[in-house]
């Protein structure tokens, strides 16, 4: 830790030369969309879907609530970059600079040690994919979304855009029109995938927009844990990441979706994530936002089946010039549904965190229970934290609880640690890691270590 | 070992210690007594280096070197330890995590863990308390034992125990005293206390009484008995 404290900037800020094989010209237009659809050799329905979404994107105004998005210039972005010819299933087959990128991030190493499957997206396309053989034997599908459109057209047509419509919000419309890459996961009935499936997203090019689209279908009584990580080089100009994630949980299934978002501080991260949760199914979002310039993300659960359960555990860390506007949405649509939102945010060096959440208990969602707890830790006077909780309770027989705390890093705790020989910077890191511990303990150990390390680096970097 | 020369301490611009002089010798046990608000804890915080305790005048030396300008963590690294009167609980941080960070680069995590387990056993600290966040849900006695545990793992040369005997039941006091009596070997200790009972287990070499921020009396182990009988007024 000592060493990295000294040279800390952002560990994944390196960039590789651009050796892509195709790139649309800058900006977004109907001809760009047609080009993307053509190069993907898509069925007509998907092309039409894209074109419809594009119209909607042009029509919709920029959101005026939430973080400041006024600096996004949609004309100054490349919307599609194809980095190489096809998806590989061996790291060795990848172009040198792409392989090196993932080596430096440590993905192949992680795959060897604790993953059931890996998908790696570089710019617009998934370049690497693997899945354990026995899972394929059990009928599990884990592939990139583009492949799924061609290989599993019935499944995709049945579920695609059924949870997040192309009309949902401006960035969902944008994603629907230019989407590329992302994962398609199908877990058959009664199959439990014990090791995590991991997707890794990397932006390399400048002024680039990444728009992956992920669809997870968990059949009855199935289970899977999907993890995504993301990084990008540091550029002075902004990049845009606008993903859409849709999850369908059938009766009695359970899906855990963990995100460790560590984009460089020039990325706008505007993501729509939503799960439809049917009878007695359990959806868990574990959402950690450390990087990016601006994040607006509110993973949602539509608790549509009786006894469904939704959970969001959210960590946000904002340093200098960052704004994390994160939270969760729980929509109770059926009886006996339960939800829990636990949010922990840390702001430092003028950073800003906002918790924005919605709990809605619809008429008929009798005996529903909702619990919201959001804690903010503000490290110094320059930093800011806001809470925007929204509760819409339309049913009488419910139990809704909300707790919120704001605390400052206590001098007395710092002195206590100092009296044990722990220097201030390290003590701050320890206290912050302690503050978010209720959430990090839910994350696989490998990621906890990474997350704690990231936070220690962030804490140290800003001082040294 | 530690000397204070004409030390005046301000807290929020109020003088708490005034022209305080004393030299604590190596390998001795001191009892520090005095009425509430007399400046006992101030002296402890001052030596440990609390940033709110401003040294207005005078010099504090540790092994003949001034430590006036050293922050608390650097003083701790030199071998000064403070056991707190009311230790705070630390969210999400176990005693192991704390000590691992405190000793990083000095001792291997595994060795630290073994040490913690061994000492916790001697102090009769329940196992589940070790994995929990420090001091969370711990009783008065357990908190004091956890302070002592940290002291023993960090292995300092100069220790101040601020009321380690307060809020502690008889059994815990016995365990703590027994441990301290062995632990005092080759160390300098200051026991801040209101009661004579702990001093029956650990015989102090010297007993100091402070009042209104000044040293008013110095005596041997018989002094606390007289205080207990007659109060501070008659001293």
């Amino acid at each position: 830790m000592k060493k990295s404290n000294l040279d800390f900037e952002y560990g994944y800020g390196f960039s590789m030369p651009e050796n892509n094989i195709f790139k649309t010209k800058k900006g977004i237009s109907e001809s760009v969309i047609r080009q993307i659809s053509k190069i993907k050799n898509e069925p007509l329905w998907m092309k039409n879907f894209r074109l419809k979404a594009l119209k909607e994107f042009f029509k919709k105004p920029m959101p005026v609530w939430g973080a400041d998005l006024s600096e996004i210039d949609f004309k100054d972005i490349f919307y599609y970059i194809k980095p190489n010819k096809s998806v590989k299933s061996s790291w060795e087959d990848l172009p040198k600079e792409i392989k090196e990128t993932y080596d430096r991030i440590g993905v192949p190493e992680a795959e060897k040690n604790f993953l059931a499957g890996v998908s790696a997206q570089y710019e617009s396309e998934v370049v690497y994919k693997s899945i354990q053989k026995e899972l394929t034997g059990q009928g599990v599908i884990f592939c990139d979304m583009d492949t799924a459109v061609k290989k599993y057209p019935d499944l995709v047509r049945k579920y695609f855009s059924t949870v997040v419509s192309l009309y949902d919000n401006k960035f969902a419309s944008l994603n629907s029109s230019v989407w590329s890459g992302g994962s398609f996961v199908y877990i058959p009935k009664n199959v439990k995938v014990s090791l995590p499936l991991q997707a890794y997203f990397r932006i390399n090019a400048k002024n680039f927009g990444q728009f992956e689209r992920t669809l997870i279908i968990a059949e009855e009584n199935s289970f899977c844990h999907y993890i995504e990580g993301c990084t990008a080089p540091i550029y002075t100009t902004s990049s845009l990441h606008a993903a859409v994630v849709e999850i369908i949980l059938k009766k009695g299934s359970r899906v855990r979706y963990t995100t460790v978002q560590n984009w460089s501080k020039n990325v706008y991260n505007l993501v729509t994530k939503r799960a439809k949760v049917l009878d007695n199914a359990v959806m868990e979002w574990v959402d950690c936002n450390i990087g990016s310039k601006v994040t607006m993300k509110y993973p949602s659960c539509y608790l549509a089946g009786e006894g469904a359960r939704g959970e969001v555990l959210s960590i946000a860390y904002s340093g200098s010039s960052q704004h994390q506007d994160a939270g969760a949405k729980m929509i109770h649509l059926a009886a006996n549904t339960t939800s829990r939102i636990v949010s922990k945010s840390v702001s430092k060096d003028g950073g800003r965190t906002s918790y924005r959440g919605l709990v809605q208990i619809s008429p008929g969602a009798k005996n529903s229970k909702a619990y919201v707890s959001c804690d903010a830790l503000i490290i110094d006077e320059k930093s800011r934290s806001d809470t925007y909780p929204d509760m819409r309770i339309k049913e009488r027989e419910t139990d809704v609880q909300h707790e919120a705390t704001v605390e400052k890093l206590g001098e007395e705790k710092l002195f206590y640690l100092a009296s044990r020989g722990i220097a201030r910077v390290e003590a701050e890191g320890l206290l912050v890691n302690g503050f978010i511990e209720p959430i990090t303990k839910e994350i696989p150990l490998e990621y906890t270590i990474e997350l704690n390390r990231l936070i220690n680096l962030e804490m140290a970097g800003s001082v040294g | 070992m530690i000397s204070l020369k004409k030390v005046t301490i301000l807290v929020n611009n109020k003088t708490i210690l005034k022209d305080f002089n004393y030299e604590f010798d190596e390998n001795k046990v001191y009892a520090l007594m005095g009425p509430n608000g007399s400046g006992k804890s101030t002296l402890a915080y001052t030596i440990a280096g609390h940033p709110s305790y401003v040294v207005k005048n005078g010099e504090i030396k540790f092994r003949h070197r001034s430590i006036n300008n050293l922050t608390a963590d650097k003083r701790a690294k030199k071998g000064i330890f403070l056991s707190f009167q009311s230790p705070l609980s630390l969210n999400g941080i176990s005693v192991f995590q704390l000590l691992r960070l405190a000793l990083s680069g000095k001792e291997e995590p595994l060795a630290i863990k073994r040490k913690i387990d061994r000492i916790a056993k001697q102090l009769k600290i329940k196992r589940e308390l070790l994995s929990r966040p420090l001091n969370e849900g711990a009783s008065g006695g357990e908190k004091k034992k956890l302070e002592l545990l940290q002291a023993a793992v960090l292995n300092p040369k100069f220790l101040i125990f601020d009321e380690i005997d307060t809020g502690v039941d008889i059994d815990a006091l016995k365990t703590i005293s027994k441990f301290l009596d062995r632990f005092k070997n080759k160390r300098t200790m200051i026991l801040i206390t209101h009661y004579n009972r702990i001093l029956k287990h650990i015989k102090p070499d010297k007993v100091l009484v402070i009042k209104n921020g000044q040293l008013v009396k110095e005596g041997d182990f018989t002094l606390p008995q007289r205080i207990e009988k007659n109060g501070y007024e008659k001293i």
Side-chain angles (χ1 to χ4, degrees):
Chain A
M1 205 171 81
K2 278 275 156 12
K3 187 180 151 277
S4 20
N5 277 355
L6 293 174
D7 57 27
F8 177 67
E9 265 306 315
Y10 166 73
Y12 307 118
F14 62 90
S15 65
M16 291 290 174
E18 272 189 55
N19 284 327
N20 53 69
I21 58 173
F22 177 75
K23 189 172 181 176
T24 52
K25 65 174 200 223
K26 243 185 203 176
I28 183 162
S29 64
E30 203 181 301
S31 74
V32 166
I33 303 301
R34 286 183 190 280
Q35 234 179 344
I36 294 172
S37 188
K38 193 173 171 200
I39 199 163
K40 289 180 179 296
N41 198 15
E42 279 176 349
L44 185 65
W45 73 270
M46 186 56 83
K47 185 168 86 180
N48 290 338
F49 174 83
R50 288 179 184 277
L51 291 169
K52 204 153 111 192
L54 180 70
K55 280 200 188 120
E56 197 55 35
F57 165 69
F58 285 141
K59 230 194 286 174
K60 276 195 158 56
M62 285 292 264
V64 287
W65 51 275
D68 179 12
L69 304 177
S70 60
E71 277 175 37
I72 299 178
D73 182 359
F74 290 111
K75 291 193 285 296
D76 199 34
I77 292 170
F78 292 103
Y79 286 81
Y80 178 80
I81 297 174
K82 191 176 169 71
N84 71 333
K85 264 209 186 91
S86 58
V87 186
K88 307 290 183 199
S89 54
S90 154
W91 293 104
E92 301 309 318
D93 294 340
L94 286 172
K96 199 172 139 268
E97 67 277 2
I98 297 181
K99 181 181 181 292
E100 195 187 322
T101 297
Y102 289 109
D103 278 340
R104 283 171 75 171
I105 297 166
V107 183
E109 193 56 34
E111 179 186 4
K112 262 185 270 169
N113 296 326
F114 72 104
L115 297 169
V118 172
S119 156
Q121 177 158 349
Y122 195 82
E123 320 289 27
S124 297
E125 298 285 355
V126 171
V127 293
Y128 171 85
K129 191 223 78 174
S130 78
I131 179 165
Q132 286 178 348
K133 272 205 187 83
E134 58 266 36
L135 291 178
T136 312
Q138 289 174 299
V140 174
I141 303 170
F142 177 50
C143 67
D144 64 282
M145 198 63 217
D146 297 272
T147 302
V149 169
K150 292 185 199 110
K151 231 172 141 182
Y152 312 100
D154 297 341
L155 275 175
V156 173
R157 272 199 95 157
K158 189 171 170 193
Y159 294 107
F160 190 87
S161 191
T162 56
V163 186
V164 178
S165 112
L166 65 88
Y167 303 101
D168 194 84
N169 66 75
K170 190 172 179 75
F171 292 93
S173 306
L174 175 63
N175 174 283
S176 299
S177 66
V178 297
W179 77 266
S180 181
S183 307
F184 177 76
V185 179
Y186 179 81
I187 314 289
K189 195 170 166 177
N190 297 329
V191 171
K192 300 197 164 53
V193 182
S194 51
L195 288 174
L197 300 168
Q198 152 107 31
Y200 208 90
F201 296 94
R202 175 76 179 171
I203 291 176
N204 181 61
K206 251 187 221 176
N207 291 61
F208 174 65
Q210 192 174 58
F211 307 97
E212 86 273 9
R213 181 111 197 173
T214 287
L215 176 59
I216 299 174
I217 301 151
E219 292 287 359
E220 286 183 17
N221 300 318
S222 66
F223 168 75
C224 81
H225 183 186
Y226 180 90
I227 303 176
E228 60 175 2
C230 13
T231 61
I234 300 165
Y235 294 123
T236 49
T237 54
S238 301
S239 290
L240 174 60
H241 174 250
V244 167
V245 175
E246 301 177 279
I247 305 177
I248 292 128
L249 292 98
K250 300 277 182 74
K251 204 165 136 184
S253 66
R254 184 175 150 225
V255 173
R256 169 169 280 213
Y257 192 111
T258 299
T259 303
V260 179
Q261 182 268 103
N262 188 23
W263 293 117
S264 53
K265 287 177 189 172
N266 58 309
V267 175
Y268 283 89
N269 183 46
L270 311 165
V271 173
T272 308
K273 289 185 163 159
R274 193 172 300 158
K276 185 177 173 187
V277 194
L278 297 176
D279 298 27
N280 297 315
V282 180
M283 176 66 212
E284 299 160 316
W285 297 100
V286 182
D287 198 36
C288 311
N289 294 297
I290 311 290
S292 82
K293 174 181 180 155
V294 165
T295 285
M296 285 174 72
K297 189 184 351 161
Y298 323 96
S300 314
C301 295
Y302 281 57
L303 305 169
E306 221 175 285
R309 177 173 172 77
E311 188 156 319
V312 173
L313 305 175
S314 169
I315 295 173
Y317 177 93
S318 272
S320 165
S321 75
Q322 283 183 285
H323 186 178
Q324 309 278 11
D325 196 290
K329 286 196 240 175
M330 293 293 178
I331 316 292
H332 293 252
L333 299 165
N336 302 316
T337 46
T338 51
S339 69
R340 189 168 80 114
I341 300 171
V342 179
S343 157
K344 299 255 178 189
S345 73
V346 181
S347 50
K348 187 174 196 281
D349 294 320
R352 183 174 169 194
T353 57
S354 310
Y355 166 79
R356 195 180 298 277
L358 169 66
V359 172
Q360 181 177 319
I361 315 266
S362 305
K366 283 193 185 7
N367 298 320
S368 290
K369 280 188 194 140
Y371 171 79
V372 179
S373 140
C374 40
D375 301 324
L377 180 63
I378 302 174
I379 308 284
D380 51 38
E381 298 297 324
K382 289 183 287 181
S383 305
R384 173 173 170 185
S385 178
D386 305 271
T387 305
Y388 307 97
D390 191 358
M391 302 268 181
R392 298 177 199 161
I393 317 298
K394 306 272 171 63
E395 173 61 54
R396 249 191 241 159
E397 293 164 50
T398 55
D399 175 8
V400 178
Q401 291 178 48
H402 178 90
E403 292 167 10
T405 65
V406 178
E407 58 177 287
K408 290 188 173 159
L409 207 60
E411 284 301 326
E412 291 310 313
K413 284 185 183 172
L414 288 169
F415 173 63
Y416 186 86
L417 295 173
S419 77
R420 273 43 176 158
I422 300 172
R424 191 178 176 99
V425 174
E426 289 169 319
E428 284 182 356
L430 187 66
L431 289 173
V432 169
N433 280 323
F435 172 75
I436 60 171
E437 189 265 352
I439 295 178
T440 46
K441 74 176 179 209
E442 300 288 325
I443 301 171
L445 183 66
E446 288 75 4
Y447 283 82
T448 309
I449 293 167
E450 173 69 3
L451 206 63
N452 289 352
R453 195 184 64 87
L454 282 174
I455 287 193
N456 284 331
L457 289 176
E458 288 289 341
M459 300 297 297
S462 46
V463 174
Chain B
M1 176 130 226
I2 282 216
S3 69
L4 294 99
K5 234 179 231 148
K6 292 199 129 192
V7 173
T8 297
I9 298 295
L10 299 184
V11 182
N12 294 327
N13 286 320
K14 209 178 133 202
T15 307
I16 309 281
L17 281 190
K18 197 163 161 43
D19 289 334
F20 196 92
N21 288 299
Y22 200 78
E23 186 160 354
F24 295 96
D25 290 330
E26 208 141 330
N27 307 333
K28 290 262 160 47
V29 175
Y30 297 84
L32 181 61
M33 304 182 77
N36 287 328
S38 57
K40 303 184 297 291
S41 292
T42 298
L43 186 68
Y45 279 148
T46 300
I47 293 171
H50 192 294
S52 304
Y53 292 70
V54 181
V55 184
K56 174 87 189 306
N57 276 317
E59 195 163 47
I60 310 164
K61 283 185 173 171
F62 180 67
R63 291 183 161 152
H64 311 295
R65 285 205 173 157
S66 172
I67 56 167
N68 279 33
N69 296 323
L70 291 186
T71 50
D73 57 300
K74 298 217 170 83
R75 294 185 195 192
K77 284 249 188 298
K78 280 189 176 293
I80 297 173
F81 182 89
L82 170 63
S83 162
F84 285 65
Q85 192 186 117
S86 338
L88 299 162
S89 57
L90 298 176
N91 297 342
I93 304 166
S94 68
V95 70
F96 169 65
Q97 284 168 310
L98 186 156
L99 289 170
R100 190 180 56 183
L101 189 56
L103 292 168
S104 73
K106 265 204 214 151
E107 271 181 63
E108 290 302 315
L110 217 63
I112 298 170
K113 191 147 189 89
R114 273 200 292 266
K115 234 186 204 173
I116 291 174
D117 287 344
R118 182 167 48 82
I119 295 161
K121 219 172 180 180
Q122 292 170 19
L123 284 168
K124 298 179 183 153
I125 298 173
K126 279 183 269 164
R127 281 201 72 85
E128 66 253 37
L129 225 49
L130 300 177
S131 48
R132 241 190 266 161
L134 184 62
N135 294 327
E136 207 176 87
S139 70
E142 286 168 334
K143 284 183 187 172
K144 298 295 167 74
K145 283 180 178 178
L146 285 163
E147 292 289 287
L148 197 47
L149 168 71
Q150 292 174 63
V153 175
L154 291 169
N155 197 19
K157 285 287 157 208
F158 181 89
L159 303 95
I160 307 169
F161 291 96
D162 195 353
E163 298 193 17
I164 189 127
D165 52 346
T166 304
V168 174
D169 65 36
I170 295 187
D171 292 339
L173 183 71
K174 216 169 157 188
T175 312
I176 289 171
S177 316
K178 233 169 93 189
F179 188 90
L180 270 177
D181 200 41
R182 261 182 297 145
F183 190 59
K184 70 177 193 219
N185 187 28
K186 290 193 179 150
R187 296 172 216 273
T188 305
M189 276 189 199
I190 302 176
L191 301 171
I192 298 175
T193 182
H194 283 298
Y195 312 106
N196 191 29
R197 55 176 192 170
I198 190 170
L199 304 177
K200 283 179 189 151
H201 298 280
I202 315 150
K203 197 167 136 193
D205 297 295
K206 276 188 181 145
V207 178
L208 314 177
V209 178
I210 54 175
K211 256 176 163 177
N212 300 323
Q214 288 186 314
L215 186 63
V216 292
K217 183 99 186 167
E218 196 181 338
D220 64 9
F221 69 95
T222 57
L223 181 55
Q225 294 159 20
R226 274 177 281 148
I227 291 171
E228 208 153 67
K229 224 167 150 188
N230 306 321
Y232 290 114
E233 294 293 326
K234 301 223 169 112
I235 288 169

